[in-house]
């Protein structure tokens, strides 16, 4: 049976600043959305975050809105300025993560 994993990545411009691979059953869709929001909130300027929350016409959380991209596979995206965080489902764990059994979220 094929196992599925969340691949959660973050980029600032062209630089990758974050990557974790976790079993899909370890995080619900709601937890993935919250995680993406927390990751962006820690990377953006607090003033820009507050200004974005107060913008008229912004739906929900403004700059912290998580969008589900059409698909399969399931893919969530949250972007603010040059910082982008994404979570997508993949069917296999990449070889580079095969030995990271006891590394927290990378398990």
């Amino acid at each position: 049976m094929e196992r599925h994993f969340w691949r959660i990545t973050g980029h600032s411009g062209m630089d990758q600043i974050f990557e974790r691979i976790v079993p899909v059953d370890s995080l619900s869709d709601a937890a993935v959305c919250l995680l993406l929001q927390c990751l962006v909130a820690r990377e953006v300027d607090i003033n820009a975050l507050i200004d974005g929350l107060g913008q008229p016409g912004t739906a929900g959380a403004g700059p912290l809105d998580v969008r589900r991209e059409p698909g399969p596979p399931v893919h969530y995206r949250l972007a603010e300025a040059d910082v982008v965080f994404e979570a997508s489902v993949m069917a296999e764990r990449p070889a580079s993560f095969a030995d990271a059994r006891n590394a927290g979220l990378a398990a």
Side-chain angles (χ1 to χ4, degrees):
M1 186 166 100
E2 206 171 63
R3 290 193 58 200
H4 289 84
F5 298 89
W6 283 110
R7 180 174 186 242
I8 303 163
T9 59
H11 290 84
S12 179
M14 297 297 289
D15 298 324
Q16 184 170 338
I17 58 173
F18 184 85
E19 181 175 37
R20 294 292 187 278
I21 306 291
V22 296
V24 106
D25 58 359
S26 67
L27 293 173
S28 67
D29 286 1
V32 169
C33 290
L34 181 60
L35 176 60
L36 293 176
Q37 290 173 332
C38 291
L39 290 168
V40 165
R42 99 177 171 177
E43 293 295 328
V44 299
D45 176 67
I46 189 67
N47 292 319
L49 186 62
I50 292 169
D51 291 346
L53 291 172
Q55 297 274 331
T58 56
L64 295 181
D65 282 339
V66 177
R67 291 171 183 82
R68 182 171 178 170
E69 301 289 332
V74 177
H75 182 90
Y76 290 95
R77 178 179 173 91
L78 185 120
E80 174 62 30
D82 271 349
V83 180
V84 177
F85 285 91
E86 299 177 309
S88 57
V89 174
M90 55 189 209
E92 292 183 17
R93 178 190 299 257
S96 62
F97 287 90
D99 295 325
R101 303 207 194 291
N102 296 319
L105 280 178

